[in-house]
């Protein structure tokens, strides 16, 4: 085998692990772009030091060891990404103000196809989706970095305690202790961030609910939208720290400060294991519609319990492969490659 063939073969073998490693780093870091940077750093380190890899573990285990070290290094600053409701109380509509916080404050959205490898086992696929949903991701962010790594490796990726201990250069007893503490922290947060009850794939009733949501939102029909929202529904809009609760304040905001969204168009996206939409707002200057937000919807008991608008479209729309402008006469829009 020539050197160039060997190099190509190694590149292919490493690349096969990119999606699952991105999912791991995303759960660790809570940031789409930091996760992709961490994986790229991992693969470069692996490529450069492959001649020192003696095969004492599988290539996959070795890559996870490198990725874990990369993520732990990135987390030494102690940054914990969050949702708006993790940082402050909800704001009544009468006091609503749009105050942005820096990008590194926020838990970021991620397209499913970048973090969820294709698996044949439906149960495994369901667990993977559940563990990138916003509530679970926000809970992970409250854990110290090593507890976070232990919980993800043991609970999400189903590694044995002995395998995790070897990866982290520690003991099985230490791994088990860290896992117990991590579980306790997550249990304390459950009542404050119950996850969305979304079927995989969506069941018929959930799909009908989404169809009604699209019709109500695109028609800007607040009566119809109110009927779809749980009475304690939450709306967030990172990078703004404002968050609203209750259908009256949410629809009140949409007809006042958010009134420019009237006439929007929605394009389905798969994001964080949940249904979502790319929202395009009418563009009075160019005509047609321009990017405004990536929406993530949370569903429980036949109602929308949360919808989250991520507004930094210059970052999100290219990440999702979405068009950056919809022409006025376009009848159909598809996600880009």
């Amino acid at each position: 085998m020539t050197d160039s063939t060997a190099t190509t073969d190694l590149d292919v073998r490493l690349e096969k692990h990119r999606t699952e490693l991105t999912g791991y780093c995303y759960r660790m870091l809570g940031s789409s772009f930091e996760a992709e940077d961490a994986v790229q750093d991992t693969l470069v380190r692996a490529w450069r030091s492959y001649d020192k890899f003696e095969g004492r573990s599988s290539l996959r285990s070795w890559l996870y060891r490198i990725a874990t070290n990369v993520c732990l290094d990135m987390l030494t600053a102690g940054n914990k990404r969050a949702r708006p409701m993790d940082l402050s109380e909800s704001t009544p509509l009468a006091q609503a103000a749009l105050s942005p916080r820096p990008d590194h404050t926020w838990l970021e959205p991620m397209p499913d196809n970048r973090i969820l490898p294709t698996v044949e086992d439906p149960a495994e696929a369901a667990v993977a989706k559940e563990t990138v949903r916003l509530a679970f991701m926000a809970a992970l962010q409250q854990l110290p970095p090593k507890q976070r790594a232990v919980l993800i490796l043991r609970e999400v990726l189903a590694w044995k305690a002995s395998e995790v201990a070897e990866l982290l250069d520690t003991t099985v007893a230490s791994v088990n202790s860290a896992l117990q503490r991590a579980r306790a922290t997550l249990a304390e947060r459950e009542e404050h961030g119950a996850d969305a009850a979304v079927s995989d794939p969506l069941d018929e009733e959930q799909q009908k609910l989404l169809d009604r949501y699209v019709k109500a939102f695109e028609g800007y029909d607040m009566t119809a939208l109110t009927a779809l929202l749980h009475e304690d529904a939450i709306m967030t809009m990172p990078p703004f720290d404002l968050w609203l609760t209750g259908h009256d304040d949410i629809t009140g905001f949409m007809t006042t400060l958010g009134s420019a969204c009237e006439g929007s168009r929605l394009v389905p996206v798969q994001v964080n294991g949940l249904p979502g939409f790319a929202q395009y707002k009418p563009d009075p200057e160019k005509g047609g519609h321009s990017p405004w937000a990536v929406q993530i919807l949370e569903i429980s008991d036949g109602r929308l319990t949360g919808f989250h608008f991520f507004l930094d479209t210059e970052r999100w729309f290219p990440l999702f492969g979405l068009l950056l402008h919809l022409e006025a006469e376009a009848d159909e829009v598809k996600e880009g490659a």
Side-chain angles (χ1 to χ4, degrees):
M1 183 181 295
T2 65
D3 288 346
S4 61
T5 303
T7 298
T8 301
D9 179 60
L10 178 58
D11 288 341
V12 170
R13 291 173 63 200
L14 294 176
E15 194 62 31
K16 285 180 180 178
H17 297 277
R18 181 180 292 275
T19 302
E20 66 169 311
L21 288 172
T22 304
Y24 175 62
C25 293
Y26 176 63
R27 293 179 181 96
M28 284 289 291
L29 301 170
S31 164
S32 319
F33 298 101
E34 286 184 3
E36 296 203 327
D37 288 346
V39 172
Q40 191 60 31
D41 190 6
T42 295
L43 296 180
V44 168
R45 291 188 190 191
W47 194 89
R48 288 177 176 169
S49 59
Y50 185 72
D51 58 339
K52 299 176 184 176
F53 173 55
E54 298 173 353
R56 286 177 293 184
S57 64
S58 68
L59 177 63
R60 180 172 181 257
S61 297
W62 184 57
L63 289 172
Y64 270 94
R65 175 190 287 268
I66 298 172
T68 300
N69 288 332
V70 169
C71 289
L72 292 177
D73 287 345
M74 294 175 74
L75 289 167
T76 51
N79 54 312
K80 293 181 180 179
R81 289 176 178 267
R83 305 167 298 173
M85 55 275 206
D86 300 320
L87 301 178
S88 64
E89 298 296 321
S90 70
T91 306
L93 177 60
Q95 300 171 21
L98 299 178
S99 304
R101 295 200 190 190
D103 289 341
H104 62 74
T105 306
W106 304 117
L107 186 63
E108 297 179 346
M110 192 64 148
D112 284 358
N113 61 9
R114 289 181 179 258
I115 51 175
L116 298 177
T118 302
V119 294
E120 295 182 2
D121 182 355
E124 186 179 341
V127 168
K129 283 194 171 185
E130 289 168 6
T131 57
V132 293
R133 291 178 182 167
L134 295 176
F136 185 81
M137 289 288 298
L140 280 179
Q141 294 295 301
Q142 300 306 308
L143 300 175
K146 286 196 175 180
Q147 280 187 33
R148 205 179 304 178
V150 167
L151 184 91
I152 296 168
L153 291 165
R154 291 282 285 119
E155 301 278 83
V156 179
L157 301 176
W159 285 39
K160 298 176 181 177
S162 57
E163 295 172 327
V164 178
E166 183 179 353
L167 183 144
L168 294 174
D169 291 323
T170 188
T171 64
V172 169
S174 178
V175 167
N176 289 336
S177 176
L179 180 60
Q180 187 175 8
R181 293 196 302 275
R183 284 172 173 167
T185 299
L186 263 58
E188 288 174 4
R189 287 182 54 86
E190 277 185 3
E191 60 185 89
H192 303 293
D195 212 342
V198 181
S199 301
D200 182 32
L202 296 177
D203 63 33
E204 184 179 355
E205 290 304 312
Q206 290 169 344
Q207 188 56 59
K208 286 181 179 177
L209 177 64
L210 290 184
D211 293 342
R212 291 168 62 198
Y213 170 74
V214 171
K215 184 176 180 181
F217 194 94
E218 291 189 338
Y220 231 60
D221 183 341
M222 294 300 114
T223 301
L225 187 60
T226 297
L228 305 179
L229 294 175
H230 190 278
E231 62 181 11
D232 295 325
I234 287 171
M235 183 172 79
T236 69
M237 293 166 285
F240 301 117
D241 57 12
L242 169 73
W243 65 281
L244 301 166
T245 183
H247 46 62
D248 289 343
D249 276 4
I250 289 171
T251 55
F253 178 89
M254 292 176 69
T255 54
T256 53
L257 290 175
S259 61
C261 288
E262 184 171 357
S264 290
R265 293 188 60 188
L266 300 181
V267 177
V269 295
Q270 296 298 314
V271 51
N272 284 82
L274 291 165
F277 296 94
Q279 178 190 344
Y280 292 83
K281 194 170 70 168
D283 190 328
E285 295 181 3
K286 297 179 182 177
H289 294 72
S290 292
W292 180 247
V294 169
Q295 302 181 7
I296 300 180
L297 305 187
E298 294 173 327
I299 301 171
S300 184
D301 298 327
R303 296 283 185 93
L304 297 174
T305 55
F307 57 145
H308 309 282
F309 295 70
F310 291 86
L311 303 181
D312 191 353
T313 55
E314 289 187 3
R315 302 172 76 211
W316 305 134
F317 275 52
L319 182 72
F320 281 79
L322 291 159
L323 296 176
L324 298 181
H325 189 76
L326 300 187
E327 299 300 333
E329 65 274 18
D331 293 322
E332 183 177 357
V333 183
K334 295 181 180 179
E335 291 182 53

